[in-house]
Amino acid sequence: MAEFKTEELVLNMGPQHPSTHGVLRLEVILDGELVIDVIPHMGYLHRCFEKHCEAMQYQQIVPYTDRMDYLASMYNNFAYVETMERLLNIEVPERVKYIRIIMGELQRIASHLVALGTFGADIGAMTPFLFVFRDREMILDLFEMTCGARLLYNYMWIGGLSNDIPPNFIQRTLEFLKYFRGSIVELNNLLSFNKIFVERTANVGVLPADTAINFGATGPVLRASGVNWDLRKNQPYSVYDKMDFDVILGTGEKGTLGDCWDRYFVRVKEMEECIKIVEQAIKMLPEGDVKAGLPKRIKPPVGEIFFRVENPRGELGYYIVSDGSLTPTRVKVRAPSFINLTLLPLLCKGHLIADIIANLGSLDIVLGEIDR
Amino acid sequence: MIQFLETLLGNQILAFFVSSVLPLVFIIPFALYAIYAERKVSAFMQDRVGPNRVGPRGLFQTVADILKLMQKEDIVVAKADKPLFVIGPYLIFIGSFTAYAALPFSSQYIGSDLNLGVIFLLAISSLTVPAILMGGWAGNNKYSLYGAMRSVAQMVSYEIPALLSVIVVVMVVGTLSLNEISIKQTGYFWNWYILGGPEFGLQKFLLIPFMLLAFIIFFISSLAEVNRTPFDIPEAESELVGGFHTEYAGMKWAMYMLAEYANMFLVSGVSTALFLGGFQSPFGYLGNTIGLPSLIPFEQLFWFLLKGIILVLVQIWLRWTLPRLRVDQLMTVCWKYLIPFAFINLVIVGIITLL
């Protein structure tokens, strides 16, 4: 009997698609339902961020950094101002450091909530998505109380913050954290250990530890493969060295080490650690000023600096070259989602179409960061 | 019912015609309010409110949606296979609606009292399979074709466990007619087949776990037959945009949705007729206690609709709770779990009935 002739089908999961987390075009080459190759095409959200920076003064760049990873704006600000403060060699007041950590960790919770919710929605469970967004609304209310914005904050400025936290912020945050612990339990009951969800995500997209390191993956993606690397512990910045929390690693309990379920569950557990950090920071919060008395037009010394922080998605790094004038010569951003996305073809080869969605969701990319 | 209509209308043919259109009178308001119920139930489960603007508490929302769909441009995609594109939505509704003829709505009304009711139902509802395939193919769209292929595989595979669990009941009862099966479950709710059947004795108690298993297998297969989550791969919104109905707009899409909801009630109706007592009341009839026997058919209609609607609500509940199964897992569940269990069930029940 003659060999049945089959052809490869090129399917385009186009820039507009319900589950590509932004405008990402995936060119998928299929043999029936099996994936032979996935070629991501990005650039649909390129806004010339790095070129813009060369024409702006250092303080003016802060709102632009918000818009890169729009789901974790506080942390983008954090990374930029930490880098600039090291370039300028200044020390910010203690109160500023603690408030930055509180905001950053609350932002990490919010970002992980979106990641988990959209991941569940892609797999088909639409209800946890709404529960997760309901909890995220409370965090956004806290942020709105502080700086007036819900998504793009422009809160952390070079040398301090734009304004101090309002009087009832601490009390409302503590209330939220108490409520949120129960919310994580609800999420686990509904989604994390659901048999269908586990079957869809366990043993799918297994990422071995050495491959993850070779590709430069960072953040929960790396830690889910068992590699113990978290910049908050390994190269602490701000006052993270005074905080007591655990680094969550993947365990492979539901399947293999480094599969989609591990990447999902690492994020769930990281949220619990964030609660711990915020509570500690609130306890240790000193009084003080929130601005370091810097001039509005900053002239850093000639030189260059590269500094990285632990974004909810991985290591966010800024490389800034200064020639002593008011505007930088070059600002380069090392976006974690960009590097993590390069893993996608490797993870998807040999699996089915539905697994592309699962893998993409577990990598947790934000196109704003990838395209800048 | 036919006689009543004959005396009313004076013409036998007209009586038959009206009697066959009556299920449509039920299906259309049902679909209208099933869509509303789905939106409201899912909203309450997700901590939101759902439609509440159009009409009191949003009750006219679906009417507004239908009006909107009716005034949409009836697009036939440029390179589409025109005959198939046009026939697809009608065929799927035909498959669903024809099967309503064999559903026993009450002791006085059944569309057509076939003495092979069950087989007829399962056979006619397979008309939805080519209809979905037509929808997917004729749209000239890779995504739709994928959805259609998956749907065909799913529906054809899951008919087998469905039929096997139906045969379990048929073996115990001895007749294929749904009307007869419903009539036999008279009395109180412990006479329902899910609890072993009306004949009291050792056989009844031995049968209970196996009838329960048959009910569960039938319910799960029927979820797959109507393409509801966790088996809604064919219309997996986040993967294939719309699946087999991506290329349809306006009333053609509305027909697919109408057929889906009609199908949901159809399989719930079959489940209740077989396992949950059909139109029989669980506690005895109000008509009997107050001495008004002509009330009884209406009571029976009420009970049948109530049980069917409860099962539809369970289907809605499951849709918004569970994630979706992947295609190969769906097939695994069918062929490696449901079918072996259904066969073993069949053999054991066969042995028990022979005793």
Side-chain angles (χ1 to χ4, degrees):
Chain A
M1 186 170 150
E3 190 62 49
F4 198 56
K5 179 176 179 292
T6 55
E7 260 181 29
E8 288 172 1
L9 177 68
V10 176
L11 188 65
N12 189 33
M13 294 176 77
Q16 292 136 327
H17 192 90
S19 65
T20 54
H21 297 265
V23 276
L24 175 68
R25 177 172 156 231
L26 290 177
E27 196 183 323
V28 183
I29 303 179
L30 296 163
D31 176 15
E33 284 250 353
L34 270 180
V35 173
I36 302 181
D37 202 3
V38 173
I39 306 171
H41 295 269
M42 50 192 115
Y44 288 89
L45 198 49
H46 181 64
R47 294 157 293 175
C48 309
F49 167 73
E50 293 175 359
K51 181 75 185 150
H52 271 313
C53 289
E54 296 171 15
M56 290 190 289
Q57 298 170 19
Y58 289 93
Q59 285 281 26
Q60 292 175 325
I61 297 179
V62 175
Y64 283 72
T65 59
D66 278 331
R67 281 142 175 83
M68 285 196 307
D69 178 358
Y70 38 80
L71 293 174
S73 299
M74 285 287 188
Y75 240 97
N76 290 0
N77 284 351
F78 202 168
Y80 177 69
V81 299
E82 284 282 320
T83 317
M84 279 310 297
E85 281 154 15
R86 280 177 170 68
L87 182 61
L88 293 168
N89 222 348
I90 55 172
E91 209 33 50
V92 285
E94 283 296 302
R95 186 175 171 82
V96 169
K97 290 190 189 166
Y98 283 92
I99 295 182
R100 280 185 184 166
I101 290 196
I102 293 174
M103 294 300 175
E105 293 303 313
L106 281 176
Q107 180 69 81
R108 190 186 304 270
I109 298 178
S111 171
H112 282 325
L113 283 175
V114 176
L116 303 174
T118 51
F119 189 44
D122 290 341
I123 303 281
M126 321 212 209
T127 307
F129 176 74
L130 283 146
F131 290 167
V132 144
F133 267 69
R134 173 197 61 196
D135 299 331
R136 184 169 171 262
E137 276 304 300
M138 300 188 198
I139 301 184
L140 295 187
D141 282 341
L142 290 172
F143 287 150
E144 189 182 4
M145 213 162 69
T146 316
C147 55
R150 279 165 46 92
L151 197 69
L152 305 167
Y153 311 110
N154 187 17
Y155 184 57
M156 304 187 195
W157 289 359
I158 304 177
L161 308 167
S162 69
N163 43 262
D164 204 344
I165 52 177
N168 52 348
F169 179 85
I170 304 272
Q171 180 229 338
R172 279 185 61 174
T173 311
L174 289 171
E175 280 170 13
F176 166 72
L177 293 174
K178 207 164 76 160
Y179 158 79
F180 188 61
R181 283 207 161 89
S183 206
I184 298 186
V185 172
E186 184 186 53
L187 182 69
N188 277 341
N189 286 340
L190 188 56
L191 190 62
S192 315
F193 300 116
N194 184 330
K195 180 126 200 328
I196 300 181
F197 183 74
V198 170
E199 282 207 6
R200 276 298 293 273
T201 52
N203 291 322
V204 168
V206 178
L207 183 63
D210 48 352
T211 318
I213 299 177
N214 284 340
F215 269 76
T218 49
V221 173
L222 180 66
R223 292 197 281 278
S225 298
V227 180
N228 190 344
W229 178 256
D230 185 336
L231 281 179
R232 295 173 292 169
K233 281 267 195 220
N234 295 73
Q235 295 182 353
Y237 48 96
S238 194
V239 277
Y240 275 110
D241 43 359
K242 298 208 182 81
M243 302 287 165
D244 172 33
F245 61 99
D246 302 317
V247 174
I248 309 290
L249 296 177
T251 51
E253 54 179 291
K254 290 286 177 194
T256 344
L257 183 66
D259 55 20
C260 284
W261 194 85
D262 270 338
R263 291 195 275 277
Y264 163 85
F265 203 59
V266 160
R267 292 193 177 98
V268 173
K269 296 209 98 123
E270 272 192 9
M271 290 199 294
E272 292 176 14
E273 300 301 315
C274 294
I275 300 179
K276 267 196 228 164
I277 299 177
V278 177
E279 284 175 344
Q280 289 168 34
I282 287 181
K283 256 197 232 121
M284 298 197 253
L285 188 62
E287 294 298 325
D289 208 7
V290 290
K291 293 203 210 260
L294 277 184
K296 279 219 169 75
R297 292 144 71 95
I298 302 176
K299 264 202 191 170
V302 178
E304 58 186 27
I305 183 166
F306 175 74
F307 188 67
R308 47 191 181 154
V309 302
E310 184 79 22
N311 207 15
R313 288 176 176 78
E315 283 178 16
L316 176 61
Y318 275 84
Y319 172 64
I320 303 181
V321 176
S322 148
D323 60 354
S325 69
L326 289 170
T327 60
T329 317
R330 175 85 170 101
V331 172
K332 156 117 179 78
V333 176
R334 185 247 186 235
S337 305
F338 183 74
I339 312 285
N340 288 351
L341 184 62
T342 55
L343 282 168
L344 190 66
L346 179 76
L347 294 178
C348 291
K349 281 200 175 68
H351 288 288
L352 306 172
I353 302 183
D355 297 331
I356 303 179
I357 312 287
N359 282 326
L360 194 60
S362 72
L363 286 179
D364 190 18
I365 55 171
V366 171
L367 265 299
E369 216 173 34
I370 295 180
D371 290 339
R372 273 162 268 137
Chain B
M1 187 72 176
I2 304 274
Q3 288 83 3
F4 168 72
L5 282 173
E6 249 188 87
T7 49
L8 196 65
L9 297 166
N11 184 349
Q12 195 184 41
I13 295 183
L14 206 55
F16 270 117
F17 180 72
V18 171
S19 142
S20 59
V21 169
L22 270 181
L24 200 63
V25 170
F26 168 68
I27 293 180
I28 296 190
F30 169 75
L32 231 56
Y33 286 100
I35 296 179
Y36 171 75
E38 168 140 31
R39 290 172 73 167
K40 273 298 206 187
V41 166
S42 71
F44 283 122
M45 284 182 6
Q46 293 170 351
D47 227 359
R48 340 173 248 125
V49 179
N52 65 346
R53 301 254 171 215
V54 187
R57 291 174 161 264
L59 282 170
F60 298 148
Q61 176 69 46
T62 331
V63 175
D65 287 337
I66 302 253
L67 286 175
K68 177 202 88 167
L69 286 169
M70 284 207 289
Q71 52 93 34
K72 272 198 171 193
E73 179 188 351
D74 191 15
I75 302 177
V76 175
V77 177
K79 293 210 195 123
D81 193 337
K82 196 148 177 191
L84 290 182
F85 193 80
V86 171
I87 295 179
Y90 296 113
L91 193 59
I92 194 172
F93 187 62
I94 290 174
S96 198
F97 177 51
T98 317
Y100 270 76
L103 271 189
F105 279 89
S106 85
S107 59
Q108 290 300 316
Y109 176 70
I110 177 169
S112 159
D113 191 1
L114 297 164
N115 55 3
L116 26 87
V118 165
I119 306 275
F120 168 76
L121 265 168
L122 286 169
I124 284 286
S125 56
S126 329
L127 268 182
T128 48
V129 174
I132 291 185
L133 199 52
M134 279 184 205
W137 171 257
N140 195 27
N141 180 348
K142 282 178 214 167
Y143 285 121
S144 313
L145 192 59
Y146 259 119
M149 290 294 168
R150 287 166 158 180
S151 171
V152 166
Q154 177 186 313
M155 292 172 93
V156 165
S157 315
Y158 275 87
E159 279 175 17
I160 301 180
L163 197 61
L164 286 175
S165 18
V166 163
I167 291 187
V168 164
V169 177
V170 167
M171 271 199 314
V172 171
V173 184
T175 161
L176 280 171
S177 157
L178 271 182
N179 204 14
E180 293 276 318
I181 298 181
S182 295
I183 289 178
K184 286 212 172 163
Q185 298 177 66
T186 55
Y188 295 89
F189 65 90
W190 48 79
N191 284 341
W192 292 352
Y193 280 111
I194 195 173
L195 291 175
E199 293 117 22
F200 202 77
L202 180 65
Q203 183 184 326
K204 179 182 162 87
F205 290 104
L206 279 179
L207 275 178
I208 292 181
F210 303 104
M211 292 304 249
L212 214 53
L213 182 63
F215 177 64
I216 293 174
I217 293 180
F218 184 74
F219 191 68
I220 297 177
S221 328
S222 65
L223 275 181
E225 286 293 310
V226 293
N227 291 335
R228 297 283 291 183
T229 322
F231 305 108
D232 71 344
I233 295 267
E235 27 173 274
E237 276 154 14
S238 44
E239 287 172 38
L240 300 174
V241 187
F244 62 87
H245 52 70
T246 318
E247 293 295 330
Y248 283 95
M251 273 322 268
K252 294 201 170 64
W253 183 83
M255 285 299 263
Y256 270 110
M257 286 295 112
L258 181 65
E260 173 170 331
Y261 284 92
N263 245 337
M264 272 169 68
F265 186 80
L266 177 70
V267 294
S268 306
V270 174
S271 291
T272 62
L274 287 172
F275 292 99
L276 297 177
F279 48 71
Q280 306 282 4
S281 145
F283 322 110
Y285 290 103
L286 201 58
N288 276 335
T289 46
I290 64 173
L292 203 66
S294 58
L295 195 56
I296 295 185
F298 295 100
E299 267 186 75
Q300 290 177 332
L301 179 67
F302 165 74
W303 284 110
F304 182 75
L305 293 183
L306 181 70
K307 292 178 203 171
I309 290 177
I310 290 180
L311 282 181
V312 168
L313 285 176
V314 172
Q315 290 182 346
I316 293 178
W317 181 11
L318 283 177
R319 174 182 185 180
W320 296 101
T321 312
L322 297 174
R324 195 177 293 134
L325 283 177
R326 203 174 57 201
V327 146
D328 59 327
Q329 291 165 350
L330 203 141
M331 289 296 147
T332 309
V333 164
C334 176
W335 293 93
K336 289 195 194 167
Y337 296 105
L338 287 185
I339 291 187
F341 276 111
F343 265 121
I344 296 175
N345 206 12
L346 191 67
V347 169
I348 296 183
V349 170
I351 295 176
I352 295 179
T353 50
L354 280 179
L355 289 174

